[in-house]
Amino acid sequence: TTNATNTSVNQCLPVLGALTVAKSFTPSSIGANGTSVLTVTLTNANTTAVTGAAFTDNYPANLVNTASASGATTCGGGATVTAANNGNSLALSGATVPASGSCTVTVNVTSATAGSYLNSTGNVTTTNAGTATGASGTLTVLSALTVAKTFTPIGIGTGGTSLITVTLTNPNAAPLTGAAFTDTYP
């Protein structure tokens, strides 16, 4: 005689929502050859950690990592950041984004050429939460002020007076703030 019992097994299949991706530059405007920190933020709204997060961010022409790129991440899971000094891209692989949390990837960037650089991160792939749409940010690189100095009149006698005029010219469409200078006389 055999006793047979059927046992049913119930198991839940978690389906995770995609990460949210944001991108920023701090500061968002720099002078030519200045430095801005590019930050990509990955946010996980799931109550389970998202694993294997990866993306590649190829920069537009004339935007590059600084000579000291210092690529870094707060993501866990043995994440690897690739950001070569003076290179033109940023990549992340093997990252874990904590449950109900976020992490960041940062790198120092610059440009010697004035302009507005719209930069879009590639899509973020993961092991357990599908693919998230990348994000965009804009870095504005401003040209330096030009400075001209004149004396009126150019020549004076001993004890005479001449007016010094210093003219600062902004070649950019946007206003520049915080301009300052010191003129030390001979």
Side-chain angles (χ1 to χ4, degrees):
T1 303
T2 304
N3 288 333
T5 304
N6 286 336
T7 304
S8 64
V9 175
N10 292 326
Q11 187 172 12
C12 292
L13 173 64
V15 177
L16 302 179
L19 297 172
T20 302
V21 184
K23 181 179 221 170
S24 64
F25 290 92
T26 306
S28 60
S29 293
I30 59 172
N33 298 311
T35 298
S36 180
V37 178
L38 182 161
T39 302
V40 177
T41 303
L42 306 176
T43 302
N44 178 9
N46 301 293
T47 56
T48 301
V50 172
T51 59
F55 69 84
T56 298
D57 183 354
N58 293 306
Y59 307 151
N62 299 317
L63 181 64
V64 296
N65 296 331
T66 63
S68 179
S70 302
T73 185
T74 61
C75 299
T80 301
V81 174
T82 304
N85 293 342
N86 301 310
N88 60 359
S89 65
L90 167 67
L92 174 72
S93 63
T96 296
V97 184
S100 303
S102 63
C103 61
T104 60
V105 181
T106 56
V107 64
N108 298 322
V109 296
T110 189
S111 179
T113 306
S116 183
Y117 295 94
L118 174 62
N119 177 228
S120 298
T121 301
N123 289 341
V124 179
T125 59
T126 68
T127 302
N128 61 342
T131 300
T133 302
S136 296
T138 301
L139 175 66
T140 303
V141 179
L142 303 171
S143 296
L145 294 172
T146 57
V147 181
K149 182 176 182 178
T150 58
F151 292 88
T152 306
I154 294 174
I156 58 172
T158 304
T161 301
S162 180
L163 176 66
I164 298 174
T165 303
V166 177
T167 304
L168 306 176
T169 303
N170 178 6
N172 303 288
L176 295 178
T177 60
F181 68 88
T182 300
D183 187 2
T184 304
Y185 306 142

